[in-house]
Amino acid sequence: MQTWLSTALTNLETCKRGFIDFEVTDYVMPLMSNNVTKLISNTLYLNKGSYGEPSHREGFPTWVSPGDRKLLQTRSPRANIVVAQDGSGNYKTVNEAISAAGKRSGSGRYVIYVKQGTYKENVDIGTSLKNIMLMGDGIGRTIITGSKSVGGGTTTFKSATVAVVGDGFVARDITFRNTAGPENHQAVALRSGSDLSVFYRCSFEGYQDTLYVHSERQFYRECDIYGTVDFIFGNAAVVLQNCNIYARKPPNKTNTLTAQGRTDPNQNTGISIQNCRVTAASDLKPVQSSVRTYLGRPWQKYSRTVFMKTSLDSLIDPAGWMPWSGNFALDTLYYGEYMNTGPGSSTSRRVNWKGYRVITSASEASRFTPGNFIAANSWLPGTNVPFTSGL
């Protein structure tokens, strides 16, 4: 329930951001003062005290059928449909396969195998398309690419090369790319608002706003994420584990890895980065000393992000974190670092904001592990994606 309420509030905020992207601000203030926002916020507060700790059941969500459980446990799931540009599959485009998935009977796991190739298309997997799995031939081999951007006339939300909302989405061994370039500002490679969505051995490539972890509960494992400004952003409850985060050469000499968007202190959302590696991409390395790279900045008032047991290379600025605008959110945010390593991990010169803390307690850090933050033990085992439940 807390996830649904958090998402409802996020959806209203996304609507407001769309007006701002188009510089149509006359509509924003009525939305901000709207009674629905207040009602959801009040319900979040009331509901927070009524639920217990997340379930730690092993196995599958109730909506996964016994047949699908067996399918998901295989290393290479049998494909329902094959996409191949050379005509050797059922369809030549990903969108044709998604359309076919929408006509299937039932809502069981539906596996779409996308063979090696570069697919230039924008893909939208809607709310009704549950339990879709996209399986490719590997990072850099199966590539879905687009170039929509705010600079090109769309909103951040609509710029996504691949957007997925249907619950239970799984992607593995695929590159998601947006080629709009740094000069076109916000340009999303992938946007997920899919509850219990999983991304395994995938790559997300762009510049500003590459990976939009929009809402719901999400898990990323052994993925590569490339970008410049706010390139992991949104308001999901999300854990990135054993991933590589690559900062690229920015147009304005400043990189920010994250911009988390929690607008209410009772939303169960945040970005947790665990056992990952943060370093410079090949284009940044030659000019790394002239660029300031930060772990994140507070997009919204209650922004929440933690880096835990992550290797931080020397590109990270000693201050660690960057303000959004003046003193905005510096007292209300939650930014934490726990047992990070590497030349950029020293906290001796970090910001002294009220909302920033060096986490020294294992029990506090464990709140942001998959087992606690996204109740992973009750659903991740069924996806056959490896994960560490705790610290």
Side-chain angles (χ1 to χ4, degrees):
M1 186 181 293
Q2 209 70 347
T3 297
W4 295 340
L5 291 166
S6 296
T7 299
L9 206 55
T10 300
N11 288 341
L12 285 169
E13 185 63 31
T14 301
C15 183
K16 288 184 271 182
R17 300 306 307 182
F19 286 116
I20 291 169
D21 281 345
F22 282 134
E23 298 182 356
V24 184
T25 56
D26 291 349
Y27 296 91
V28 175
M29 287 311 295
L31 276 167
M32 290 181 75
S33 60
N34 139 2
N35 284 336
V36 176
T37 300
K38 293 177 181 177
L39 285 168
I40 295 171
S41 183
N42 289 341
T43 309
L44 271 166
Y45 172 76
L46 292 170
N47 187 64
K48 187 177 182 182
S50 66
Y51 67 92
E53 289 299 306
S55 167
H56 289 274
R57 291 179 297 105
E58 295 291 339
F60 298 81
T62 55
W63 43 260
V64 179
S65 71
D68 292 331
R69 297 177 193 193
K70 185 176 180 180
L71 172 64
L72 284 165
Q73 287 175 320
T74 62
R75 287 288 173 189
S76 299
R78 174 183 52 81
N80 296 92
I81 280 182
V82 177
V83 179
Q85 290 177 322
D86 62 6
S88 62
N90 303 97
Y91 298 102
K92 291 186 177 181
T93 70
V94 179
N95 273 308
E96 287 175 314
I98 294 298
S99 179
K103 298 171 184 175
R104 77 192 196 274
S105 59
S107 58
R109 175 65 57 190
Y110 197 83
V111 180
I112 299 171
Y113 169 40
V114 186
K115 285 189 175 182
Q116 179 177 352
T118 300
Y119 299 81
K120 297 180 179 179
E121 49 185 315
N122 288 82
V123 178
D124 193 348
I125 301 172
T127 307
S128 63
L129 287 170
K130 300 183 188 300
N131 304 326
I132 300 296
M133 179 176 185
L134 288 184
M135 180 174 64
D137 277 326
I139 290 174
R141 293 169 61 82
T142 297
I143 302 166
I144 305 175
T145 182
S147 60
K148 291 184 178 181
S149 66
V150 170
T154 189
T155 64
T156 303
F157 187 83
K158 289 290 188 179
S159 70
T161 298
V162 174
V164 54
V165 184
D167 291 348
F169 178 78
V170 179
R172 56 190 277 185
D173 301 309
I174 293 179
T175 292
F176 301 93
R177 182 179 291 168
N178 191 310
T179 61
E183 67 280 359
N184 280 305
H185 308 292
Q186 298 95 326
V188 176
L190 179 124
R191 166 173 53 83
S192 178
S194 166
D195 197 20
L196 310 182
S197 53
V198 181
F199 300 85
Y200 179 42
R201 297 187 311 213
C202 291
S203 182
F204 308 92
E205 301 173 7
Y207 289 88
Q208 183 172 351
D209 289 5
T210 303
L211 177 58
Y212 195 172
V213 290
H214 179 264
S215 55
E216 306 284 0
R217 293 163 289 184
Q218 308 179 23
F219 181 71
Y220 296 74
R221 172 82 179 201
E222 296 171 33
C223 292
D224 297 335
I225 306 104
Y226 294 81
T228 52
V229 179
D230 305 340
F231 64 95
I232 304 170
F233 79 110
N235 197 25
V238 57
V239 178
L240 285 76
Q241 194 175 78
N242 293 43
C243 293
N244 295 307
I245 299 171
Y246 295 105
R248 305 177 88 168
K249 181 182 177 182
N252 62 353
K253 304 291 185 183
T254 303
N255 282 326
T256 45
L257 307 186
T258 67
Q260 205 281 326
R262 195 168 62 140
T263 59
D264 187 289
N266 294 305
Q267 286 179 302
N268 64 350
T269 55
I271 296 172
S272 174
I273 296 174
Q274 181 188 19
N275 293 326
C276 293
R277 177 172 175 257
V278 176
T279 191
S282 57
D283 63 339
L284 177 60
K285 285 181 179 178
V287 295
Q288 181 177 313
S289 60
S290 64
V291 173
R292 306 187 78 170
T293 297
Y294 299 90
L295 298 174
R297 58 178 183 156
W299 181 27
Q300 299 294 346
K301 187 175 181 180
Y302 297 98
S303 184
R304 181 162 64 172
T305 302
V306 295
F307 283 77
M308 307 191 299
K309 294 187 174 181
T310 287
S311 173
L312 305 178
D313 214 340
S314 58
L315 77 165
I316 299 301
D317 189 89
W321 306 82
M322 178 183 174
W324 184 273
S325 178
N327 292 323
F328 172 73
L330 303 188
D331 290 348
T332 51
L333 58 77
Y334 180 107
Y335 284 168
E337 296 183 56
Y338 177 74
M339 293 184 66
N340 294 317
T341 59
S345 66
S346 172
T347 56
S348 62
R349 295 168 57 190
R350 288 295 197 252
V351 295
N352 60 357
W353 307 338
K354 183 179 178 182
Y356 169 76
R357 78 274 330 274
V358 177
I359 301 173
T360 57
S361 163
S363 61
E364 181 177 359
S366 68
R367 291 168 47 200
F368 302 101
T369 58
N372 288 320
F373 200 50
I374 56 174
N377 294 325
S378 66
W379 60 278
L380 264 179
T383 67
N384 202 42
V385 171
F387 74 101
T388 302
S389 178
L391 291 171

